[in-house]
Amino acid sequence: AGDTGEIKSEVRDQIDQRVADWREEGKGEIVPGVLFIDEVHMLDMECFSWLNRALESPMAPVVIMASNRGVSHIRGTDYVSPHGIPIDLLDRTIIIPTHAYSIEELEKIIAIRAEEEDVNLDEDALKVLSSLGTKTSLRYVLQLITTARLAAVKANSSKVTKEHVKLVYKLFLDLNRSVQLLKDHEKDYLFGEDDSRLEMSYQHPSVAGGNGARATSEVPMEQS
């Protein structure tokens, strides 16, 4: 067992110099690697600054960044930028647009996933899942494959049919239906928007001025 720890900067400089010498002498060639950063909007300004500086190195890898954010705040700051990435770094990138899957592409993806999970889908079930994928999300319909298989096993069926898919679709909500349910029944939950505003008026009086005077909220009493 040997000592572990951070490589000293002097050692790094010596290695960089040796690699540079080999490159100039034709003894070696630098082949940049690939660094993939998913959810890049989760990085803060300090990380982006380091990344921006590291990209200036001749041995910097090819950096691929992925984000599903639109115009949003850079983490830890009040600055707003496209994709949550600083403008100076974004200006150095080549942006690759992505598009939603077509129903034919969804059908192929679902079929591959079902095959990997050893789920026997009939044609109607595959078409229903593909149609749901265009209205909800790919992740949601891929999760329905497993739940539909359990429903088929419960019904002593060796094949998942569209009835099994429709059953689990009713049982498990997707994001849009869940949000709509919360909006429709907000007052039935313990804390809703109205409750939080009312709670703030009771428990969080604002402080006014520098003389210690407080401005409190009062709820008017009904006249009898």
Side-chain angles (χ1 to χ4, degrees):
D3 296 334
T4 59
E6 181 68 22
I7 299 176
K8 296 181 180 180
S9 58
E10 294 82 2
V11 177
R12 293 178 183 273
D13 293 339
Q14 292 175 4
I15 294 175
D16 291 345
Q17 185 60 45
R18 178 62 62 86
V19 171
D21 293 341
W22 286 349
R23 184 182 180 185
E24 291 180 0
E25 295 172 4
K27 296 180 179 180
E29 180 183 358
I30 296 178
V31 179
V34 177
L35 173 62
F36 180 77
I37 305 177
D38 197 11
E39 307 290 347
V40 69
H41 54 268
M42 297 298 294
L43 300 181
D44 58 15
M45 187 64 78
E46 185 176 355
C47 292
F48 282 124
S49 298
W50 179 88
L51 186 61
N52 213 350
R53 185 171 61 253
L55 288 176
E56 297 175 356
S57 170
M59 292 184 289
V62 176
V63 179
I64 300 176
M65 299 177 290
S67 175
N68 59 358
R69 297 293 178 91
V71 178
S72 59
H73 285 88
I74 301 174
R75 188 177 185 185
T77 71
D78 294 328
Y79 296 107
V80 176
S81 180
H83 314 297
I85 303 175
I87 296 294
D88 56 343
L89 179 58
L90 196 63
D91 189 50
R92 303 177 61 175
T93 63
I94 297 177
I95 301 175
I96 303 173
T98 57
H99 305 281
Y101 291 115
S102 65
I103 191 168
E104 292 80 11
E105 292 171 332
L106 284 172
E107 189 171 332
K108 292 180 181 179
I109 294 172
I110 294 170
I112 293 173
R113 181 61 175 267
E115 183 179 356
E116 288 294 324
E117 296 188 6
D118 294 328
V119 177
N120 189 8
L121 289 175
D122 67 9
E123 289 296 326
D124 291 337
L126 182 59
K127 292 185 180 300
V128 171
L129 286 172
S130 303
S131 178
L132 288 176
T134 61
K135 301 173 184 176
T136 58
S137 69
L138 178 60
R139 288 180 179 177
Y140 174 72
V141 296
L142 292 182
Q143 291 171 344
L144 287 186
I145 294 176
T146 302
T147 53
R149 181 181 64 84
L150 294 175
V153 171
K154 184 69 174 178
N156 295 322
S157 175
S158 60
K159 182 177 292 188
V160 175
T161 65
K162 67 177 182 181
E163 284 73 20
H164 300 136
V165 175
K166 291 180 179 179
L167 173 61
V168 294
Y169 176 73
K170 293 179 181 178
L171 290 176
F172 303 104
L173 300 178
D174 60 276
L175 175 61
N176 294 331
R177 287 187 295 158
S178 179
V179 170
Q180 188 60 45
L181 180 67
L182 292 177
K183 289 181 179 180
D184 295 340
H185 301 279
E186 181 179 0
K187 294 183 179 180
D188 298 333
Y189 291 91
L190 185 58
F191 292 105
E193 271 191 26
D194 296 336
D195 296 331
S196 62
R197 284 196 293 265
L198 184 60
E199 188 113 352
M200 287 286 290
S201 67
Y202 274 112
Q203 298 182 3
H204 300 279
S206 58
V207 177
N211 57 1
R214 295 194 304 173
T216 59
S217 302
E218 295 184 359
V219 179
M221 300 294 292
E222 292 185 1
Q223 298 291 336
S224 56

